Amino acid sequence: QTIDIANPTRTQAILNEYGLRAKKKFGQNFLTDLNVLHNIVEAAEITAEDYVIEIGPGIGALTEQLARSAKKVLAFEIDSQMVEVLADTLKPYDNVKVIENDVLKVDLGTVISEEFGDNAHVKIVANLPYYITTPILIQLLRANINWDNIVVMMQREVADRLNAVVGTKSYGVLTLTIQYFAQATLAIKVPASSFNPSPNVDSAVVKLTPLKPTTVVDDVGKLFGVIKGGFSHRRKSLWNNMLQTYGKDARTKEQLTVALKSAQIDPAIRAERLNLEQFTQLYLALCDQNL
Ligand code: SAM
């Protein structure tokens, strides 16, 4: 009778055996609540046909549950000490591959083609390292990959940003990225006591499902360049942020003025007051001005 990795006693025993402590710099908080893990796997609707990507397997608590339900699991772990532990803890599962790397440095599209085949569909599941939740989400959404759903644990405060209302403090680049690519729903609220060690914040599992953008743009990178530029100094006006992005010479000022006018946007406004549709209009108007 094997005991699940997520069992609190076994988790502590594994850490002791390897003389390890959770590393703050890598956002390590290990899930020790089997119920939460089962709910995550259920929310992701993992079946025996599924290819799954996991980010940050740690000692393998979630990986193990995924391996039992999925066809194959590919996990990215930055911490070489964890990779050593995983070689032991995941030995019973022959459908798991761990890649030692910083997930933010991985070209996910290429790795997925290599491991699962061209255009393979994936489900992405993770108990995210909280210090890089936003860059990871933006990377996942902007990468050119076919994902069926993304089910990820994050800090509750970040979860609130995903569906933030225009004009509020939580509204920003992450909100707009989600709006363009996905529908976000809160799947599970998770107390700090479900982890070893307990994080100092509340957590939530969010489920993202893909969304066809209402207005498809030719150059998504450029659209998000416009958005990022607009938010570069939150307290400054859109006009000031745009001058900083595009330049302050007379010709550029003229082009920006025309673009803002044609998009019907007041230059004195702040980016946080603009919705995705308005940013899209601004992007199109800037393209017309060759900016
Ligand atoms: N999945 C495990 C669990 O649920 O118990 C561990 C989750 S822990 C919150 C986050 C994991 O992400 C850690 O194992 C950490 O080492 C790993 N990690 C941190 N930064 C990473 C990065 N840039 N790339 C890949 N893994 C990373």
Side-chain angles (χ1 to χ4, degrees):
Q1 178 77 36
T2 51
I3 301 169
D4 288 312
I5 298 168
N7 173 285
T9 313
R10 181 155 178 225
T11 293
Q12 194 53 53
I14 292 169
L15 294 174
N16 293 346
E17 185 187 337
Y18 290 87
L20 293 174
R21 297 166 124 231
K23 299 184 183 76
K24 267 213 176 103
K25 68 164 177 178
F26 288 143
Q28 292 175 352
N29 297 91
F30 305 110
L31 264 169
T32 56
D33 188 331
L34 259 178
N35 245 334
V36 171
L37 288 166
H38 290 156
N39 289 337
I40 291 174
V41 174
E42 197 177 309
E45 300 171 76
I46 307 291
T47 73
E49 316 288 295
D50 284 327
Y51 293 120
V52 177
I53 301 282
E54 191 196 357
I55 296 155
I59 62 170
L62 175 57
T63 326
E64 172 177 71
Q65 305 302 326
L66 293 168
R68 287 180 186 159
S69 303
K71 184 167 189 178
K72 279 188 181 167
V73 181
L74 184 65
F76 297 96
E77 174 56 63
I78 198 172
D79 183 350
S80 57
Q81 290 189 304
M82 290 298 143
V83 175
E84 266 176 53
V85 176
L86 290 164
D88 286 341
T89 55
L90 296 177
K91 205 171 270 165
Y93 306 96
D94 59 8
N95 58 343
V96 178
K97 178 166 176 177
V98 176
I99 295 182
E100 185 182 330
N101 206 342
D102 176 346
V103 71
L104 293 174
K105 297 197 172 132
V106 173
D107 179 345
L108 286 171
T110 305
V111 180
I112 288 169
S113 300
E114 283 168 7
E115 297 292 332
F116 299 148
D118 284 341
N119 303 316
H121 278 242
V122 296
K123 290 179 177 166
I124 303 170
V125 185
N127 171 16
L128 291 173
Y130 292 177
Y131 72 108
I132 43 171
T133 299
T134 299
I136 290 176
L137 285 176
I138 290 178
Q139 175 198 26
L140 295 177
L141 294 171
R142 298 264 315 265
N144 216 350
I145 54 180
N146 294 317
W147 54 276
D148 294 334
N149 64 51
I150 299 177
V151 174
V152 281
M153 176 95 69
M154 65 188 71
Q155 197 175 327
R156 203 143 342 143
E157 197 192 314
V158 179
D160 289 340
R161 265 184 240 161
L162 306 185
N163 288 326
V165 174
V166 69
T168 61
K169 218 176 99 196
S170 305
Y171 182 82
V173 180
L174 181 58
T175 318
L176 287 155
T177 309
I178 296 284
Q179 267 182 29
Y180 187 84
F181 293 103
Q183 168 128 27
T185 51
L186 192 139
I188 315 160
K189 287 185 180 176
V190 182
S193 58
S194 297
F195 304 83
N196 173 4
S198 302
N200 298 324
V201 293
D202 287 327
S203 301
V205 176
V206 170
K207 178 171 181 173
L208 304 179
T209 46
L211 200 68
K212 283 245 176 315
T214 6
T215 317
V216 182
V217 304
D218 289 336
D219 188 344
V220 179
K222 188 166 167 182
L223 169 65
F224 281 95
V226 174
I227 293 174
K228 255 183 108 171
F231 279 97
S232 55
H233 297 278
R234 250 193 117 84
R235 314 286 313 154
K236 285 194 183 167
S237 67
L238 183 64
W239 176 251
N240 277 326
N241 281 331
M242 288 180 81
L243 288 186
Q244 197 149 31
T245 310
Y246 296 96
K248 294 178 181 160
D249 56 285
R251 163 111 180 97
T252 308
K253 279 184 174 167
E254 172 63 23
Q255 287 169 300
L256 291 177
T257 305
V258 174
L260 283 159
K261 194 156 187 228
S262 99
Q264 296 182 297
I265 294 168
D266 174 1
I269 206 167
R270 285 186 190 148
E272 66 195 22
R273 306 231 60 103
L274 294 179
N275 63 27
L276 182 59
E277 186 52 38
Q278 289 169 304
F279 271 116
T280 307
Q281 292 308 320
L282 180 57
Y283 152 88
L284 291 170
L286 288 166
C287 290
D288 284 345
Q289 292 302 311
N290 297 314
L291 280 173

